[in-house]
Amino acid sequence: MATAAGETDHAALARSLQEKYGFQFGARRDLRRAHERVLEESRHALDAIGDHAGGVRLSRSEILDQIHLALERACIVQIIGAGGVGKSAILKHLAERLQPEGVAIVLRPGRVVPGGWRQFARAIDCPVTRDELFTELGCGGGATLFVDNIDQIDDAREWETVADCLHGVLASPGWRAVVTASTGLGDWNSRMPDGSRDVMASIEVREISDAETAVLAEANPMLAVLLRNTHPARGVARNLFYLSRMVALSAGQHEAGAVIASEIDLARTWWRYGGGRSEGGKLARLRVLRALAGEVISHPERVAFRADAHDPPIVTELLRLDSLREDRPGSTVAFRHDVLRDWTVGFLLDEEQERFRVSIGVQILQAE
C-alpha cells in the first residue's frame, strides 16, 4: 500500500485479511490509557533519580555497554554495588537509552503500588490480565521492567506487586528486567520468583574510573581539586554520591572539603550543618531530620513521609539543600539518597542510645 500511496486502518486491514486468508479476529481491548499511565508513572520515578555530580552528568557508557551485552544473554540483570556508586543513575541512563526499543515500567521504593497485580492494574486503569498487558506491551520486543533499590523494598504488600511484575516478565516473550541492589545476596534475592536466578546475570558497579575522573575534572574545576591525587578526600571522592555532597558542602563552607578524608568525616560535617551548608539554622533542620529518623526506625519499610507533619519552612529548606526530595509533590517527602537516610538514623541512634535500648528491650519482652 505504501508504494502505491495507499492507506488503511485497523478495521479495513482486519476485514481484508479475513476475506483473503480466512483470519478471524476477536474484539480488541483499548489499552492506550493503561499504556499512558505506565509511561507517566515510570517518568515520575526516573525524574526522582539524581544523576549529576557537581553539575556534571557522567555518561557511564562503559558500564552501560556491559549491561547491554548482559541483556542479550540473560532475562534479568542485577546491578550491584556499594551505596553511592551511582547504580540508580546508571539505571536511569539505561532506561533512557532503551526507550526507543520498547516500553519501560519503573518501580522503586516509595513508588510501588502495594497489594499485587490487581491493585497495580487498578492504579493504571488496566482492563485486562497481567499476562495480556505484558504480551501487548512486549509484542514488539525490547520491553523492560526496572526495579531500583530492590533490596530496600521491605513492605510485604509492595513485594507482592514487584513479584507479580517479575512473573509477568518471565512469562512474556519480549520482556527483560533490570534491578539494582547493594549486594546480590540477602533477603530480596530469596524472594525472587522461582526460576529467576537461573536467567539472571550480575554486573558490579565500582568507584569511578580514571577516565571518568578526568571527564569530571575537565568539566568542573571544583571537582578537579577534590579528585587530584594530593587531596586528602581523593579516595572517598571516587564515590559519586560522596563527591556531590562534598561539592555542596564546599559551596557554603570553603574549608569543608579540605578536612574530609573519609565517609565518616563527610557524614559528621553534613550532620554538623544539619543537612545544610553552614551552621545557620541547623537546630531546626536537625529537629526535622531526627523526627524523620524516628519514623524510619519505627517503620523501616516506609520510604516517604508526610510533609505537613513537620515544620513546612524547614522541610522546604531541606528540599532546597538536597537533603530531602519531594516524593509526591505537595504531599510526601523522602531522603534525597538512602545514604543520607542511613547517616541520619545512625546519628540518632548514637545520640539517644538509652532511648532505643529501652525501646528494643520492650519489643523483645513483648515478643517473648
Side-chain angles (χ1 to χ4, degrees):
M1 290 181 181
T3 57
E7 61 180 31
T8 190
D9 58 21
H10 181 273
L13 182 59
R15 185 168 56 253
S16 175
L17 291 171
Q18 181 179 1
E19 293 172 352
K20 291 182 178 180
Y21 305 105
F23 282 102
Q24 299 295 320
F25 296 94
R28 185 170 185 266
R29 303 296 293 269
D30 188 348
L31 300 179
R32 285 176 295 181
R33 175 62 176 166
H35 191 185
E36 290 170 357
R37 291 296 300 273
V38 164
L39 293 178
E40 181 184 22
E41 288 299 313
S42 298
R43 191 162 52 248
H44 290 326
L46 292 175
D47 288 343
I49 299 175
D51 59 351
H52 287 71
V56 182
R57 190 175 192 263
L58 197 59
S59 66
R60 311 303 300 270
S61 57
E62 184 176 342
I63 194 77
L64 288 174
D65 290 341
Q66 292 179 31
I67 299 170
H68 250 298
L69 290 174
L71 284 171
E72 292 180 3
R73 56 183 174 83
C75 180
I76 302 174
V77 172
Q78 58 174 355
I79 304 171
I80 60 175
V85 295
K87 302 183 298 294
S88 296
I90 288 171
L91 179 143
K92 180 177 183 177
H93 294 184
L94 182 66
E96 292 171 349
R97 180 188 281 196
L98 294 179
Q99 186 176 14
E101 297 184 19
V103 69
I105 295 177
V106 183
L107 306 176
R108 62 193 316 262
R111 301 201 71 89
V112 180
V113 177
W117 170 255
R118 183 170 298 178
Q119 298 302 320
F120 183 69
R122 184 174 297 150
I124 61 174
D125 291 340
C126 178
V128 299
T129 66
R130 178 200 65 196
D131 290 346
E132 286 180 277
L133 179 67
F134 272 67
T135 298
E136 175 72 15
L137 297 182
C139 64
T144 312
L145 170 69
F146 294 94
V147 187
D148 190 29
N149 292 324
I150 192 172
D151 55 333
Q152 296 180 28
I153 300 176
D154 296 320
D155 184 87
R157 298 185 71 241
E158 291 184 2
W159 249 105
E160 288 182 43
T161 304
V162 172
D164 282 349
C165 288
L166 286 168
H167 277 295
V169 169
L170 295 172
S172 306
W175 276 87
R176 59 270 180 102
V178 176
V179 305
T180 68
S182 296
T183 174
L185 305 174
D187 185 53
W188 76 269
N189 205 310
S190 65
R191 290 189 288 178
M192 293 286 283
D194 292 340
S196 60
R197 286 181 289 278
D198 297 332
V199 293
M200 184 185 296
S202 181
I203 300 292
E204 184 175 4
V205 180
R206 300 180 182 274
E207 63 180 18
I208 55 177
S209 65
D210 291 339
E212 291 172 327
T213 298
V215 172
L216 291 171
E218 183 179 359
N220 186 330
M222 183 178 291
L223 298 181
V225 172
L226 293 169
L227 293 167
R228 69 189 180 194
N229 292 333
T230 57
H231 197 284
R234 177 187 177 278
V236 70
R238 291 288 180 117
N239 179 296
L240 282 173
F241 174 74
Y242 300 157
L243 178 62
S244 65
R245 299 315 301 186
M246 283 190 287
V247 171
L249 288 169
S250 297
Q253 295 287 323
H254 295 295
E255 75 278 3
V259 299
I260 295 172
S262 66
E263 178 185 354
I264 191 61
D265 291 338
L266 180 60
R268 283 173 175 158
T269 304
W270 179 79
W271 190 250
R272 171 187 166 189
Y273 295 146
R277 297 171 189 145
S278 68
E279 296 199 20
K282 74 171 185 179
L283 293 179
R285 293 194 297 270
L286 284 173
R287 190 179 303 116
V288 171
L289 290 173
R290 289 187 179 106
L292 292 176
E295 292 189 53
V296 173
I297 293 170
S298 300
H299 305 281
E301 77 286 351
R302 187 177 298 168
V303 175
F305 314 93
R306 286 179 49 215
D308 57 8
H310 306 280
D311 191 344
I314 304 305
V315 170
T316 300
E317 185 177 2
L318 287 168
L319 289 169
R320 180 181 61 81
L321 292 166
D322 272 344
S323 285
L324 300 179
R325 63 172 174 82
E326 278 195 296
D327 180 67
R328 299 284 181 182
S331 177
T332 59
V333 295
F335 284 98
R336 168 56 68 182
H337 197 283
D338 55 288
V339 171
L340 296 180
R341 180 201 61 211
D342 294 345
W343 286 355
T344 305
V345 170
F347 280 115
L348 182 64
L349 292 174
D350 183 61
E351 292 174 351
E352 303 185 22
Q353 295 180 29
E354 188 59 34
R355 167 191 167 191
F356 289 104
R357 188 181 294 116
V358 171
S359 175
I360 292 171
V362 170
Q363 291 177 27
I364 291 174
L365 288 173
Q366 290 175 340
E368 291 176 347

